[in-house]
Amino acid sequence: MSNTSISQVSHIHSLTADFLKKRLAQNGFDDFASSHGNILFQLSINKAITMKELAAKINRDKSTTTVLVRKLEQEGLVTATTDTSDKRNKILTLTEKGTEYNALMKKLSKELVAKFYKGFSDKEIEQFSEFLNRIESNFE
């Protein structure tokens, strides 16, 4: 077995993150971490979610999630309101700017996938996906 594959996966991860960061900056969304994007993606699926639920979905503790959400609030992408049924909870929702971010990410994701699989046949893409699923299941 070789560490080369793991190193390549790590390098590809860095390249894809750099691709997205550059494209986001070109569209006015500077200084975003992948965790920020994951939060905005979760909010696009769930529409309104508590801080605790969000923390579980992004696999972060509540204090880390709070810091990430505050940054998104400052950027005008997320609104946090007090839950009327339980004052201890904050309910998070996307703002219009957050919705615009998600629309841009959808477009950029398509660009990224096209670049990622350039020159691959459908069969190769399917095989690659199967291999990745097997690797992922090794960690579950």
Side-chain angles (χ1 to χ4, degrees):
M1 281 194 265
S2 169
N3 289 336
T4 304
S5 296
I6 294 171
S7 177
Q8 285 176 301
V9 168
S10 178
H11 184 68
I12 291 166
H13 178 264
S14 293
L15 291 171
T16 59
D18 289 348
F19 172 90
L20 289 173
K21 186 172 181 148
K22 179 181 176 186
R23 294 292 198 285
L24 284 169
Q26 289 171 345
N27 286 276
F29 291 98
D30 300 338
D31 197 29
F32 275 79
S34 60
S35 296
H36 293 123
N38 195 5
I39 290 169
L40 295 170
F41 175 73
Q42 290 300 324
L43 287 171
S44 74
I45 295 170
N46 296 286
K47 305 301 178 210
I49 191 170
T50 66
M51 192 76 77
K52 182 179 179 180
E53 292 168 329
L54 178 62
K57 289 190 179 293
I58 67 168
N59 197 30
R60 298 280 188 268
D61 61 41
K62 195 173 173 201
S63 62
T64 301
T65 303
T66 300
V67 170
L68 292 167
V69 167
R70 278 192 192 132
K71 165 82 172 158
L72 293 172
E73 280 185 286
Q74 290 168 353
E75 296 290 329
L77 297 158
V78 171
T79 301
T81 55
T82 303
D83 184 348
T84 54
S85 63
D86 184 347
K87 303 285 186 210
R88 297 171 295 173
N89 286 332
K90 294 275 188 196
I91 304 291
L92 306 171
T93 56
L94 283 175
T95 64
E96 187 176 326
K97 186 177 178 183
T99 302
E100 290 170 9
Y101 171 91
N102 281 337
L104 174 62
M105 277 305 296
K106 188 174 183 178
K107 177 182 167 248
L108 294 179
S109 292
K110 286 180 181 179
E111 280 183 45
L112 180 61
V113 168
K115 187 173 192 70
F116 193 90
Y117 288 115
K118 182 179 176 184
F120 283 75
S121 70
D122 288 344
K123 183 169 177 60
E124 288 171 325
I125 293 169
E126 186 179 322
Q127 287 176 315
F128 181 65
S129 182
E130 289 172 9
F131 293 147
L132 290 176
N133 286 333
R134 284 174 48 194
I135 292 168
E136 184 177 24
S137 71
N138 290 338
F139 290 93
E140 294 173 351

